[in-house]
């Protein structure tokens, strides 16, 4: 089964990893070096930010 391409850009993932405090691991070992928990937290934070962005767009002038 072919591997799916990610939706998040590498720049966004790096920004979120810095915010979560494990970007140093990514730099040393690549994305495969992070823990499952860190990966989950990264996805959770990405979803939160996307929801906030959608809420801001929805709150604009109608």
């Amino acid at each position: 089964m072919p591997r799916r391409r990610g939706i998040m850009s590498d720049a966004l993932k790096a920004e979120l990893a810095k915010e979560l405090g494990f970007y140093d691991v990514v730099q040393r070992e690549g994305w495969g070096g992070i823990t499952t928990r860190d990966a989950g937290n990264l996805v959770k934070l990405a979803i939160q930010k996307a929801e906030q962005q959608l809420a801001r767009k929805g709150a604009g002038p109608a």
Side-chain angles (χ1 to χ4, degrees), residues 17-30:
K18 288 175 187 175
E19 191 171 329
L20 292 168
F22 60 83
Y23 186 66
D24 58 326
V25 174
V26 173
Q27 286 184 307
R28 271 195 325 270
E29 303 175 30

Side-chain angles (χ1 to χ4, degrees), residues 29-50:
E29 303 175 30
W31 289 104
I34 66 172
T35 65
T36 304
R37 177 172 286 173
D38 286 341
N41 287 336
L42 185 132
V43 171
K44 183 177 176 182
L45 183 58
I47 291 169
Q48 287 173 348
K49 287 185 177 281

